[in-house]
Amino acid sequence: MNQAAKLTSPRHDPQYSSPFASSPTQTRATRRPLRLSPSPGRAWAPAKATGRRPPEAWRRPLEGRRPKELKLKDEECERLSRVREQLERELEELTASLFEEAHKMVRAANMKQAASEKQLKEARGKIDMLQAEVTALKTLVLTSTPASPNRELHPQLLSPTKAGPRKGHLRHKSTSSTLCPAVCPAAGHTLTPDKEGKEVDTTLFAEFQAWRESPTLDKTCPFLERVYREDVGPCLDFTMQELSALVRAAVEDNTLTIEPVASQTPPTAKVAAVECGSTNTCALSGLARACRHRIRLGDSENHYYISPSSRARITAVCNFLTYIRYIQQGLVRQEAEPMFWEITRLRKEMSLAKLGFFPQEA
C-alpha cells in the first residue's frame, strides 16, 4: 500500500512537475523571484529592531533644510536679476549718449564744411577780382604815366564838353603841361627836350640806379633819403606841426583821403575838425582861405578842411610816392633814364607846390 501510495503520490509521479521547479533550460539568473503574498487573514509582524533608522527618519532633516536652500537661491536669483537690469539700463544710456555725441559731431562737421566752402567761394571771388584789377592796373601803367596820362583810360581828364557833367571830386591836371613842357615818352622812345634844356645829374642818377636794382620803400637808402630830405619833408612841413606829422604819416602809409566839399552848406563838423579849421580856415596853414577840400586820416571820421595850396602840396607828394610804389611792385616797365626823368618831374612838382605854385581850378 505504501508502495502504491508512493507511486501514486504526485510528488513521486514522473509526469508531475512542481510549480517551483525550474526547467532544465533556466539558469539562476533568469529565474523569476518568488513573491509571497500574505494571506488575507494574516497580519505582518513588526520588524525587529536592527539598529538602523528607517527611511522616514533620515528624510525629515532633508525636508527641513530644503526651504532654506531654496530661499537662498531665490535671493541670489533676485540679486542677479537686479544686476542684469542695472547693466542693461547703463548700456542703453551709454548707447544713447554715444549716438547723441555722434550726431553732434556730424552736425558740427557739416557746419564747418559749409562755412569753409563759403569762405573758399568768397576767396576765389576776391582772387578773380584782384587779378582783374592787377591786369587793368598793368595796362594802365604800361600805357600811361603821370606825365602823359592815357585819356581814354582816364575819362575824368577829358574836357567837360567831351566827358559830360560829372559829380564828385575832379582831380587837377598835372602842372607839367604848363610848367614843364618836356614830357617823358613811353618806353622805347628817345627823350627829346621841347623848350628847355635838361641834363642828367650823375650823382642822382647813380643813386637812382642803385635803388632801382632792388627797389624798397625804406627811407634810409641814399636815393629816398635825399628825396625825403630835399622834397617830401619841406613839402609837408606846414604851420600846424602836430597835424603835419599826422598827415605825413598817413601819406606814407597810403591811408589819407581827400574829399571835395559840397557846394551847399556842409553839415556840422566834429569837434576835432572845428578845432583845426573850417570851410574858411585851412587846418594845416592856419590861414583864412576858401577851403574846397577836406582830408581824412585813416579810418578816423574827423575831417580837416584844407586850402588849394595845401591840397596841391599833399597831392604832389602822393603822386611821387605812388610812382615809387609802382616801380617797387614791378608795374613800370621802362628803361632807367625815362623813369629817372619822371621821378625828376615829380620832384619838380613838389618843389613848385612848396613855393606856392598850384593850378587854378575852374
Side-chain angles (χ1 to χ4, degrees), residues 94 187 265 337:
L94 180 60
T265 304
E337 188 173 350

Side-chain angles (χ1 to χ4, degrees), residues 13-210:
D13 190 356
Q15 297 180 355
Y16 173 79
S17 59
S18 175
F20 299 100
S22 59
S23 61
T25 60
Q26 288 182 334
T27 62
R28 185 181 298 272
T30 59
R31 291 177 185 176
R32 298 178 61 184
L34 180 64
R35 294 183 179 181
L36 300 178
S37 59
S39 59
R42 185 177 178 180
W44 286 93
K48 296 182 180 180
T50 58
R52 294 187 300 175
R53 298 173 62 183
E56 294 81 2
W58 56 266
R59 284 177 184 171
R60 289 169 186 169
L62 292 177
E63 292 177 356
R65 287 183 295 176
R66 186 172 301 171
K68 294 181 180 180
E69 293 179 356
L70 292 175
K71 185 177 181 181
L72 293 176
K73 290 184 179 296
D74 291 341
E75 293 177 355
E76 183 69 16
C77 290
E78 292 178 358
R79 187 182 67 82
L80 294 176
S81 298
R82 289 194 299 270
V83 171
R84 185 182 64 181
E85 292 177 356
Q86 183 179 359
L87 291 176
E88 289 178 352
R89 287 195 301 270
E90 292 179 355
L91 181 61
E92 291 178 357
E93 293 176 358
L94 180 60
T95 303
S97 63
L98 288 176
F99 273 104
E100 185 177 359
E101 189 69 21
H103 285 306
K104 289 182 180 179
M105 294 175 64
V106 171
R107 192 181 305 111
N110 292 335
M111 293 177 64
K112 289 182 179 179
Q113 182 179 1
S116 300
E117 291 177 355
K118 182 179 179 181
Q119 292 179 358
L120 178 61
K121 185 177 180 181
E122 293 178 355
R124 287 178 177 174
K126 291 181 180 179
I127 291 174
D128 295 339
M129 181 180 63
L130 291 176
Q131 288 179 349
E133 291 181 356
V134 169
T135 303
L137 184 59
K138 286 183 177 180
T139 304
L140 174 65
V141 172
L142 293 176
T143 58
S144 175
T145 61
S148 56
N150 190 336
R151 298 182 181 276
E152 293 181 358
L153 298 177
H154 299 276
Q156 68 273 17
L157 298 179
L158 297 176
S159 61
T161 57
K162 296 181 180 179
R166 199 166 46 85
K167 297 182 180 180
H169 173 51
L170 179 62
R171 191 170 181 177
H172 69 87
K173 298 180 181 179
S174 174
T175 56
S176 61
S177 59
T178 57
L179 299 177
C180 183
V183 177
C184 181
H189 293 77
T190 307
L191 185 64
T192 57
D194 189 5
K195 294 182 180 180
E196 60 182 3
K198 294 189 300 185
E199 184 178 354
V200 175
D201 189 310
T202 56
T203 303
L204 298 178
F205 189 70
E207 292 177 353
F208 168 73
Q209 284 186 323

Side-chain angles (χ1 to χ4, degrees), residues 308-353:
S309 176
S310 300
R311 173 180 174 271
R313 293 167 65 174
I314 294 174
T315 54
V317 176
C318 290
N319 289 337
F320 170 77
L321 294 180
T322 301
Y323 191 70
I324 291 297
R325 291 191 187 96
Y326 285 170
I327 298 175
Q328 191 263 341
Q329 295 172 6
L331 299 177
V332 180
R333 305 297 178 85
Q334 288 181 334
E335 298 296 333
E337 188 173 350
M339 293 170 61
F340 175 76
W341 281 116
E342 178 63 20
I343 291 176
T344 304
R345 187 194 64 80
L346 294 173
R347 293 184 63 185
K348 181 180 179 180
E349 285 189 359
M350 288 189 287
S351 300
L352 293 174

